[in-house]
Amino acid sequence: MALKIEMLRAFCTVAQTGNLSEAANRLGRTQSAVSMTLKQMEDHLGKRLFEGERKNQLSPLGEQVFELAQKQVRRFDQTVQSIELAAEAAHGLLQIVSVPSVAALVFPPVLEHMTARHPGLKVELRDTDTQEVLDALAEGKADIGIASGYHPLNGVRAVPLFADRFGLVCATDHPLHRQETAPTIADVISSSFVRNALCGLIRNERFVEASSNADVTIHNTHSLITMVRTGKWVTVLPQTVARFMPEATAFRPIADLPDKREVYLYQRERSRFAALAEECCAFIQSCDLSGDPG
Amino acid sequence: MALKIEMLRAFCTVAQTGNLSEAANRLGRTQSAVSMTLKQMEDHLGKRLFEGERKNQLSPLGEQVFELAQKQVRRFDQTVQSIELAAEAAHGLLQIVSVPSVAALVFPPVLEHMTARHPGLKVELRDTDTQEVLDALAEGKADIGIASGYHPLNGVRAVPLFADRFGLVCATDHPLHRQETAPTIADVISSSFVRNALCGLIRNERFVEASSNADVTIHNTHSLITMVRTGKWVTVLPQTVARFMPEATAFRPIADLPDKREVYLYQRERSRFAALAEECCAFIQSCDLSGDPG
DNA sequence: AAAGCAACTTCAGGAAAGTTGAAGAATGGC
DNA sequence: GCCATTCTTCAACTTTCCTGAAGTTGCTTT
């Protein structure tokens, strides 16, 4: 039998839980059903997906399949959700996807503005990384996207939204915040520097080189803030992101790092409720988002 | 009943063919099976997907669902193919995705080099647009990718491969080729200019503005070449792409358009046959790809 | 207007796939 | 060596899916 979504889903669940009964539980099936599904899958592929007698160790092939399957399952579920959402929304639907840092800034006013003006309008807001924002636009899962950098995409209009200077983020009592002269790249890197996902956007050669052997990289913003608040660690972020940092942290430009993060607003050209998307984009552009009007 | 892949597939086929019997035929089902599947889907969503009595006109919702569903089905089939390929490949598997223009340049030597050195190695080569190259890398469907521009991606290493100047492509007997002085942006745009997908990579403000109201855009390279060969139309392409143009066409730098297309080599950091990917990347980098060593 | 036609829907029965609980086999901790 | 845990296998059962035949619907022919 051919591979099916439910087969992939079962496999992923087992791979994650590491045992059949727990997986069966999560899937709402019996253990034996899951066992048989898995056997079908292995038979079909002609190779084992697990090593050893139990299901707690993936084979190399299993690892690879797991990665593929998991992405596929997630994507499928998301598509289903999108389709169902689209079907429910009779009076209009606006799907907006953004990188988290801008989402926090944009979603509240957008939501207020659009729902007030359009009773019955359904709005879906989602935040993920730039890559997925672009995916969502390309696949028709989003009408409007906000992401870092310029990425030409068929059928999607891109306009610059704002630019945002990178700078040091550290605790207010950190030496680099207290010192009089603006810190340099060397200063920052030689402190206990934590890389983060947004650092990847900096093309500045000296920074790239200096930060390439940073020991710690944190992707989750919340954890990042926690680290910085201890006063022991510092990081580099765009200024608007730093706006959402708590009291005891501060943002400071870095003397020899003039780089900015360029944030673009993406808009699908063909969408079911084009007028709504148009209105929403106009509103987003009318907001003053830049924390750094220079 | 919940939405299933086979349901989406049936819907897409009907949407494409515009009638049930032809769709049933392609799906290897009877007409009535397809009819029932479609009914299930409409019942589930609570809305009609087609308008009128026949299945040849999608409703607005249908249009939207079609777009989502088709992408999902394609993606699913591709994932299945990847999984099956991975299972078959016992002695190594190398999945390489590239934008078409570089694919033509890179695939032949890579294939020769790698298969000669590794008997039993399976190689998968695919060409698509930059967006899908990045998707494939992000989803684990490719070990190595070649795409235009720099796009930071988690777990994927990016190194510049070569840069490639944009220039005029026209028939050899076109006035812009014959004239002594190098053509300018204004010259090119005021000729019968055909935009193409790669033009989107040019950030030069004057070019962007000038080309924004071009009447014709062609995405397919073959059609593009045909147009240029007539001698009536001209286009703008990177030099290496122009290398594959037939005899009667020529490439010429544009005086006030110094822009280059930057091509990057992407490499997944974790993959089942990491050593192979490593070797392959090294080989690709050792090739002299730039047609323009300046 | 009756017959013909093409596209689609509905229906009942049967085939295929998926599910279950119980019984059996393998493994590892104690 | 025994027991608990985990997984596989089996036969019966349920659900889902598919088919072929009959029934609608609306348009075209004569």
Side-chain angles (χ1 to χ4, degrees):
Chain A
M1 182 193 310
L3 295 180
K4 300 213 184 80
I5 279 280
E6 292 311 315
M7 238 158 158
L8 301 187
R9 193 192 304 281
F11 167 67
C12 287
T13 312
V14 174
Q16 280 170 318
T17 60
N19 84 53
L20 279 191
S21 39
E22 171 61 15
N25 202 32
R26 286 200 203 172
L27 292 165
R29 300 277 117 87
T30 56
Q31 191 196 31
S32 65
V34 180
S35 172
M36 286 170 119
T37 305
L38 230 55
K39 183 170 156 38
Q40 276 189 325
M41 190 161 161
E42 287 187 334
D43 286 354
H44 175 83
L45 297 178
K47 289 252 175 74
R48 304 216 50 190
L49 292 166
F50 293 89
E51 273 172 354
E53 297 300 324
R54 304 291 168 90
K55 303 293 183 199
N56 54 4
Q57 180 59 53
L58 285 168
S59 68
L61 174 63
E63 296 265 8
Q64 200 180 347
V65 172
F66 177 51
E67 186 170 348
L68 292 163
Q70 198 177 30
K71 296 236 166 76
Q72 183 57 56
V73 170
R74 269 209 265 270
R75 216 177 262 283
F76 176 78
D77 291 345
Q78 218 182 51
T79 299
V80 168
Q81 205 190 320
S82 282
I83 290 178
E84 290 175 346
L85 198 59
E88 275 176 47
H91 305 296
L93 173 63
L94 212 46
Q95 290 167 293
I96 308 177
V97 200
S98 166
V99 289
S101 52
V102 189
L105 215 58
V106 166
F107 287 174
V110 163
L111 204 58
E112 186 180 349
H113 181 267
M114 295 303 293
T115 54
R117 232 153 273 245
H118 300 277
L121 168 68
K122 295 214 172 209
V123 185
E124 192 197 15
L125 305 171
R126 197 150 47 91
D127 59 60
T128 34
D129 56 81
T130 291
Q131 188 57 41
E132 286 207 44
V133 169
L134 299 173
D135 283 2
L137 286 162
E139 287 174 36
K141 286 181 192 164
D143 310 299
I144 294 171
I146 297 172
S148 303
Y150 172 73
H151 309 272
L153 220 60
N154 266 346
V156 178
R157 224 166 50 206
V159 295
L161 192 57
F162 67 95
D164 206 11
R165 183 163 181 183
F166 281 97
L168 167 75
V169 172
C170 62
T172 42
D173 56 359
H174 192 278
L176 285 182
H177 181 243
R178 303 191 153 206
Q179 80 180 23
E180 238 170 78
T181 58
T184 62
I185 293 177
D187 289 339
V188 173
I189 301 290
S190 63
S191 305
S192 297
F193 169 69
V194 187
R195 265 179 69 87
N196 62 66
L198 293 171
C199 291
L201 297 171
I202 303 176
R203 305 301 312 277
N204 185 302
E205 276 180 32
R206 289 175 48 214
F207 181 86
V208 170
E209 200 185 313
S211 70
S212 65
N213 43 14
D215 297 326
V216 189
T217 302
I218 297 184
H219 290 279
N220 178 293
T221 311
H222 191 73
S223 314
L224 189 64
I225 293 175
T226 311
M227 293 291 280
V228 169
R229 285 231 286 194
T230 65
K232 293 210 177 97
W233 299 86
V234 305
T235 192
V236 170
L237 282 173
Q239 186 160 14
T240 38
V241 181
R243 268 213 237 167
F244 291 93
M245 291 295 210
E247 286 284 303
T249 57
F251 174 88
R252 201 170 178 189
I254 297 168
D256 52 351
L257 185 71
D259 294 47
K260 293 188 167 191
R261 167 181 75 155
E262 289 177 348
V263 174
Y264 279 75
L265 177 65
Y266 294 87
Q267 183 185 357
R268 273 183 69 78
E269 277 155 12
R270 283 183 316 152
S271 68
R272 181 146 72 112
F273 303 103
L276 281 172
E278 189 60 49
E279 179 185 342
C280 187
C281 277
F283 175 71
I284 292 173
Q285 284 180 275
S286 76
C287 299
D288 179 25
L289 297 169
S290 141
D292 152 274
Chain B
M1 182 193 310
L3 295 180
K4 300 215 186 76
I5 279 280
E6 291 312 315
M7 237 159 156
L8 301 187
R9 194 192 302 281
F11 167 67
C12 288
T13 311
V14 174
Q16 280 170 318
T17 60
N19 83 54
L20 279 192
S21 39
E22 171 61 15
N25 203 33
R26 287 199 201 173
L27 292 165
R29 299 277 121 86
T30 57
Q31 190 199 33
S32 66
V34 180
S35 172
M36 286 167 113
T37 305
L38 231 54
K39 182 170 156 39
Q40 276 190 327
M41 189 161 162
E42 287 187 334
D43 286 354
H44 176 83
L45 296 178
K47 287 252 175 77
R48 304 217 50 191
L49 293 166
F50 293 90
E51 274 174 352
E53 297 299 323
R54 305 292 170 89
K55 304 291 185 201
N56 53 4
Q57 180 59 54
L58 285 168
S59 69
L61 174 62
E63 296 265 7
Q64 199 180 351
V65 173
F66 177 50
E67 186 170 5
L68 292 162
Q70 197 176 31
K71 297 238 166 75
Q72 184 57 55
V73 169
R74 271 210 262 271
R75 215 177 262 282
F76 176 78
D77 291 345
Q78 218 182 52
T79 300
V80 168
Q81 206 191 319
S82 282
I83 290 178
E84 290 175 345
L85 197 60
E88 276 176 46
H91 305 297
L93 172 64
L94 212 46
Q95 290 168 291
I96 309 176
V97 200
S98 165
V99 291
S101 51
V102 189
L105 216 57
V106 166
F107 287 173
V110 162
L111 203 57
E112 187 180 350
H113 181 267
M114 295 304 293
T115 54
R117 233 152 273 246
H118 301 277
L121 169 67
K122 295 216 173 210
V123 185
E124 192 197 15
L125 305 171
R126 196 148 48 89
D127 57 58
T128 34
D129 55 81
T130 290
Q131 188 56 41
E132 286 206 44
V133 169
L134 298 173
D135 283 1
L137 286 162
E139 287 173 36
K141 286 182 192 162
D143 310 298
I144 294 172
I146 298 172
S148 303
Y150 172 73
H151 309 271
L153 221 60
N154 266 347
V156 178
R157 222 166 53 206
V159 295
L161 192 56
F162 67 95
D164 205 11
R165 182 162 180 186
F166 282 97
L168 168 74
V169 172
C170 61
T172 43
D173 55 359
H174 191 279
L176 287 181
H177 181 242
R178 303 190 153 206
Q179 79 180 26
E180 238 170 79
T181 58
T184 63
I185 293 177
D187 289 339
V188 172
I189 299 291
S190 63
S191 304
S192 298
F193 169 69
V194 187
R195 264 180 71 87
N196 63 67
L198 293 171
C199 290
L201 296 170
I202 303 176
R203 304 301 312 275
N204 184 302
E205 277 182 31
R206 287 178 47 216
F207 180 85
V208 170
E209 200 185 312
S211 71
S212 64
N213 43 15
D215 298 324
V216 190
T217 302
I218 297 185
H219 291 278
N220 177 293
T221 311
H222 190 74
S223 314
L224 191 65
I225 293 174
T226 311
M227 294 289 281
V228 169
R229 284 232 287 194
T230 64
K232 294 208 177 101
W233 301 86
V234 304
T235 192
V236 170
L237 283 172
Q239 185 161 16
T240 39
V241 181
R243 267 213 237 168
F244 290 93
M245 291 296 209
E247 286 284 301
T249 56
F251 174 88
R252 201 171 178 187
I254 296 169
D256 50 352
L257 185 71
D259 293 48
K260 292 187 168 193
R261 167 181 73 156
E262 289 178 349
V263 175
Y264 279 75
L265 177 65
Y266 293 87
Q267 183 185 358
R268 273 182 69 79
E269 275 154 15
R270 284 182 315 149
S271 67
R272 183 146 72 112
F273 303 103
L276 280 172
E278 189 59 51
E279 180 186 341
C280 187
C281 277
F283 175 71
I284 292 173
Q285 284 180 274
S286 77
C287 298
D288 178 25
L289 297 169
S290 142
D292 154 273

